[in-house]
Protein backbone atom coordinates (compact mmCIF):
# COMPACT_ATOMS: atom_id res chain seq x y z
CA UNK A 1 0.00 0.00 0.00
CA UNK A 2 1.46 3.34 -1.07
CA UNK A 3 1.57 6.40 1.17
CA UNK A 4 -1.47 8.01 -0.47
CA UNK A 5 -3.60 4.88 -0.09
CA UNK A 6 -2.35 4.42 3.47
CA UNK A 7 -3.34 7.95 4.48
CA UNK A 8 -6.76 7.47 2.92
CA UNK A 9 -7.13 4.16 4.75
CA UNK A 10 -6.26 5.77 8.09
CA UNK A 11 -8.92 8.44 7.66
CA UNK A 12 -11.58 6.04 6.45
CA UNK A 13 -10.85 3.63 9.30
CA UNK A 14 -10.87 6.45 11.88
CA UNK A 15 -14.28 7.60 10.72
CA UNK A 16 -15.93 4.22 10.37
CA UNK A 17 -14.45 2.87 13.58
CA UNK A 18 -15.63 5.89 15.53
CA UNK A 19 -19.09 5.84 13.96
CA UNK A 20 -19.46 2.13 14.70
CA UNK A 21 -18.89 2.86 18.39
CA UNK A 22 -21.53 5.59 18.54
CA UNK A 23 -25.13 5.15 19.58
CA UNK A 24 -27.56 5.16 16.67
CA UNK A 25 -29.14 8.36 18.01
CA UNK A 26 -25.75 10.10 17.93
CA UNK A 27 -25.13 9.01 14.36
CA UNK A 28 -28.52 10.46 13.44
CA UNK A 29 -27.63 13.71 15.18
CA UNK A 30 -24.42 13.95 13.14
CA UNK A 31 -26.36 13.28 9.93
CA UNK A 32 -28.91 15.96 10.77
CA UNK A 33 -26.06 18.43 11.24
CA UNK A 34 -24.96 17.76 7.65
CA UNK A 35 -28.32 18.37 5.99
CA UNK A 36 -27.64 21.96 4.94
CA UNK A 37 -24.39 20.81 3.38
CA UNK A 38 -26.21 18.04 1.51
CA UNK A 39 -28.68 20.58 0.16
CA UNK A 40 -25.77 22.67 -1.08
CA UNK A 41 -24.22 19.59 -2.69
CA UNK A 42 -27.51 18.74 -4.37
CA UNK A 43 -27.65 22.23 -5.86
CA UNK A 44 -24.04 21.90 -7.01
CA UNK A 45 -24.85 18.57 -8.65
CA UNK A 46 -27.83 20.09 -10.47
CA UNK A 47 -25.64 22.91 -11.78
CA UNK A 48 -23.02 20.47 -13.02
CA UNK A 49 -25.53 18.02 -14.52
CA UNK A 50 -27.33 20.82 -16.35
CA UNK A 51 -24.38 22.81 -17.65
CA UNK A 52 -21.07 21.03 -17.20
CA UNK A 53 -21.34 17.23 -17.18
CA UNK A 54 -21.66 16.66 -20.94
CA UNK A 55 -18.56 18.72 -21.66
CA UNK A 56 -16.61 17.00 -18.89
CA UNK A 57 -17.47 13.59 -20.26
CA UNK A 58 -16.36 14.53 -23.79
CA UNK A 59 -13.16 16.28 -22.73
CA UNK A 60 -11.99 13.92 -20.00
CA UNK A 61 -13.88 10.77 -19.13
CA UNK A 62 -14.40 9.38 -22.64
CA UNK A 63 -10.80 10.06 -23.59
CA UNK A 64 -9.31 8.78 -20.32
CA UNK A 65 -7.35 12.02 -20.05
CA UNK A 66 -9.05 13.36 -16.94
CA UNK A 67 -7.35 16.40 -15.45
CA UNK A 68 -9.50 16.30 -12.33
CA UNK A 69 -8.96 12.65 -11.39
CA UNK A 70 -5.19 12.44 -11.69
CA UNK A 71 -3.04 9.84 -9.96
CA UNK A 72 -2.75 10.47 -6.19
CA UNK A 73 -3.69 14.13 -6.61
CA UNK A 74 -7.16 14.12 -5.05
CA UNK A 75 -7.29 16.38 -1.99
CA UNK A 76 -9.57 15.20 0.80
CA UNK A 77 -10.56 16.75 4.11
CA UNK A 78 -11.28 14.55 7.10
CA UNK A 79 -14.85 15.89 7.00
CA UNK A 80 -15.19 14.60 3.43
CA UNK A 81 -14.67 11.11 4.82
CA UNK A 82 -17.12 11.76 7.65
CA UNK A 83 -19.94 12.96 5.42
CA UNK A 84 -19.42 10.22 2.86
CA UNK A 85 -19.33 7.49 5.53
CA UNK A 86 -22.42 8.78 7.33
CA UNK A 87 -24.51 8.67 4.17
CA UNK A 88 -23.05 5.57 2.50
CA UNK A 89 -24.15 1.97 2.70
CA UNK A 90 -21.73 -0.39 4.45
CA UNK A 91 -20.96 -2.12 1.16
CA UNK A 92 -19.94 1.21 -0.36
CA UNK A 93 -17.32 1.93 2.28
CA UNK A 94 -16.25 -1.72 2.10
CA UNK A 95 -15.56 -1.12 -1.60
CA UNK A 96 -13.35 1.87 -0.72
CA UNK A 97 -11.35 -0.23 1.72
CA UNK A 98 -11.01 -2.93 -0.92
CA UNK A 99 -9.65 -0.63 -3.63
CA UNK A 100 -7.22 0.99 -1.19
CA UNK A 101 -5.67 -2.41 -0.46
CA UNK A 102 -4.50 -2.72 -4.06
CA UNK A 103 -1.48 -0.99 -5.59
CA UNK A 104 -2.74 1.76 -7.88
CA UNK A 105 -1.17 1.29 -11.31
CA UNK A 106 -3.95 2.98 -13.27
CA UNK A 107 -2.38 6.43 -13.54
CA UNK A 108 -5.62 7.95 -12.21
CA UNK A 109 -7.36 8.43 -8.88
CA UNK A 110 -7.65 5.22 -6.89
CA UNK A 111 -11.36 5.95 -6.38
CA UNK A 112 -12.17 6.35 -10.09
CA UNK A 113 -14.00 3.20 -11.10
CA UNK A 114 -15.62 2.15 -14.37
CA UNK A 115 -18.78 4.01 -13.44
CA UNK A 116 -17.04 7.14 -12.18
CA UNK A 117 -16.26 8.17 -8.61
CA UNK A 118 -16.75 5.40 -6.03
CA UNK A 119 -17.69 7.87 -3.28
CA UNK A 120 -21.39 8.46 -2.75
CA UNK A 121 -20.62 12.09 -1.78
CA UNK A 122 -17.32 12.84 -3.44
CA UNK A 123 -14.75 15.17 -1.83
CA UNK A 124 -15.59 18.85 -2.02
CA UNK A 125 -12.32 19.64 -3.81
CA UNK A 126 -13.38 17.26 -6.59
CA UNK A 127 -16.90 18.61 -6.78
CA UNK A 128 -15.63 22.19 -7.05
CA UNK A 129 -12.85 21.54 -9.57
CA UNK A 130 -13.10 22.62 -13.20
CA UNK A 131 -10.29 22.31 -15.71
CA UNK A 132 -9.13 25.22 -17.86
CA UNK A 133 -11.16 24.04 -20.86
CA UNK A 134 -14.37 24.18 -18.82
CA UNK A 135 -13.46 27.56 -17.36
CA UNK A 136 -12.73 29.03 -20.78
CA UNK A 137 -15.43 27.30 -22.78
CA UNK A 138 -18.36 27.54 -20.38
CA UNK A 139 -17.80 29.70 -17.31
CA UNK A 140 -16.08 32.65 -18.98
CA UNK A 141 -18.17 32.38 -22.13
CA UNK A 142 -21.53 32.69 -20.35
CA UNK A 143 -21.94 35.45 -17.74
CA UNK A 144 -25.13 33.92 -16.31
CA UNK A 145 -23.43 30.56 -15.77
CA UNK A 146 -20.39 32.31 -14.28
CA UNK A 147 -22.66 34.18 -11.84
CA UNK A 148 -24.31 30.94 -10.72
CA UNK A 149 -20.88 29.39 -10.25
CA UNK A 150 -19.68 32.33 -8.15
CA UNK A 151 -22.72 31.93 -5.91
CA UNK A 152 -21.91 28.24 -5.42
CA UNK A 153 -18.30 29.09 -4.56
CA UNK A 154 -19.53 31.48 -1.89
CA UNK A 155 -21.88 28.83 -0.50
CA UNK A 156 -19.05 26.31 -0.33
CA UNK A 157 -17.10 28.60 1.98
CA UNK A 158 -20.02 28.55 4.42
CA UNK A 159 -19.04 24.94 5.18
CA UNK A 160 -15.28 24.93 4.68
CA UNK A 161 -13.79 28.39 5.33
CA UNK A 162 -13.21 28.73 9.10
CA UNK A 163 -13.46 32.47 9.61
CA UNK A 164 -16.50 31.47 11.68
CA UNK A 165 -17.73 28.09 12.96
CA UNK A 166 -18.20 25.83 9.93
CA UNK A 167 -19.27 22.23 9.46
CA UNK A 168 -15.93 20.83 8.29
CA UNK A 169 -14.07 22.25 11.29
CA UNK A 170 -16.81 21.17 13.70
CA UNK A 171 -16.80 17.57 12.45
CA UNK A 172 -13.05 17.37 12.78
CA UNK A 173 -13.18 18.73 16.31
CA UNK A 174 -15.91 16.26 17.26
CA UNK A 175 -13.94 13.24 16.07
CA UNK A 176 -10.74 14.53 17.65
CA UNK A 177 -12.60 14.69 20.94
CA UNK A 178 -13.42 10.99 20.56
CA UNK A 179 -9.77 10.10 20.00
CA UNK A 180 -9.80 9.79 16.21
CA UNK A 181 -6.59 10.70 14.40
CA UNK A 182 -6.02 11.33 10.71
CA UNK A 183 -3.47 12.96 8.40
CA UNK A 184 -6.39 14.79 6.79
CA UNK A 185 -7.40 16.84 9.83
CA UNK A 186 -6.20 20.06 8.21
CA UNK A 187 -8.44 22.35 10.25
CA UNK A 188 -6.42 21.35 13.32
CA UNK A 189 -3.05 20.65 11.68
CA UNK A 190 -2.57 22.96 8.69
CA UNK A 191 -0.49 26.06 9.61
CA UNK A 192 -2.43 28.15 7.09
CA UNK A 193 -5.86 27.20 8.39
CA UNK A 194 -4.71 27.53 12.00
CA UNK A 195 -3.49 31.07 11.29
CA UNK A 196 -6.80 31.89 9.63
CA UNK A 197 -8.76 30.57 12.60
CA UNK A 198 -6.59 32.43 15.08
CA UNK A 199 -6.88 35.69 13.16
CA UNK A 200 -10.65 35.29 12.97
CA UNK A 201 -11.01 34.22 16.61
CA UNK A 202 -12.73 30.95 15.77
CA UNK A 203 -12.18 27.43 17.02
CA UNK A 204 -9.41 25.92 19.09
CA UNK A 205 -5.82 26.05 17.95
CA UNK A 206 -3.82 22.85 17.80
CA UNK A 207 -0.28 22.61 16.47
Amino acid sequence: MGEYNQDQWISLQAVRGTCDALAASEVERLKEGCLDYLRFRAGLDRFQDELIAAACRTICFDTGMSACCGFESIFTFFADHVVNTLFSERRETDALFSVLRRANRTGRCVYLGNGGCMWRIRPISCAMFFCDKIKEGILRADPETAERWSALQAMEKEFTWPVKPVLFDDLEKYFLGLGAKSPHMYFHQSPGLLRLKKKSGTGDFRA
Side-chain angles (χ1 to χ4, degrees), residues 50-62:
E50 177 186 346
L51 299 168
I52 308 295
C56 285
R57 176 169 290 278
T58 300
I59 293 169
C60 288
F61 193 77
D62 290 344

Side-chain angles (χ1 to χ4, degrees), residues 27-207:
V27 173
E28 287 304 312
R29 188 189 70 80
L30 286 173
K31 292 171 74 171
E32 287 175 8
C34 297
L35 293 182
D36 284 344
Y37 178 68
L38 292 190
R39 282 188 278 270
F40 157 68
R41 290 298 299 267
L44 177 60
D45 287 346
R46 286 193 297 271
F47 171 82
Q48 292 179 333
D49 289 344
E50 177 186 346
L51 299 168
I52 308 295
C56 285
R57 176 169 290 278
T58 300
I59 293 169
C60 288
F61 193 77
D62 290 344
T63 63
M65 299 295 290
S66 177
C68 57
C69 299
F71 180 69
E72 296 191 354
S73 65
I74 305 305
F75 182 88
T76 57
F77 290 107
F78 182 76
D80 284 317
H81 286 278
V82 174
V83 174
N84 186 63
T85 299
L86 286 173
F87 292 94
S88 292
E89 300 292 337
R90 188 82 176 186
R91 59 178 176 78
E92 292 173 315
T93 52
D94 283 345
L96 299 184
F97 277 118
S98 180
V99 75
L100 289 172
R101 289 190 185 97
R102 303 195 297 266
N104 185 5
R105 300 185 177 91
T106 66
R108 62 188 185 184
C109 176
V110 65
Y111 296 121
L112 186 60
N114 292 332
C117 183
M118 295 175 64
W119 288 44
R120 174 172 285 203
I121 303 170
R122 58 194 172 128
I124 188 62
S125 65
C126 302
M128 298 295 291
F129 176 86
F130 291 133
C131 69
D132 290 340
K133 289 183 179 180
I134 295 296
K135 291 176 183 176
E136 292 291 339
I138 297 179
L139 298 181
R140 291 176 187 154
D142 184 350
E144 183 178 347
T145 299
E147 185 176 350
R148 288 177 63 186
W149 174 239
S150 293
L152 288 166
Q153 288 178 304
M155 291 174 66
E156 185 254 339
K157 286 188 174 182
E158 294 294 311
F159 303 100
T160 64
W161 195 241
V163 295
K164 62 180 181 180
V166 292
L167 176 66
F168 274 37
D169 191 12
D170 289 345
L171 287 174
E172 211 173 88
K173 182 177 180 180
Y174 177 86
F175 277 79
L176 272 169
L178 294 176
K181 295 182 179 179
S182 159
H184 299 117
M185 288 179 163
Y186 301 117
F187 288 90
H188 292 80
Q189 297 172 356
S190 164
L193 286 176
L194 289 172
R195 283 195 299 270
L196 181 63
K197 289 165 67 175
K198 187 172 184 178
K199 183 178 179 180
S200 303
T202 60
D204 57 349
F205 312 110
R206 297 173 185 250

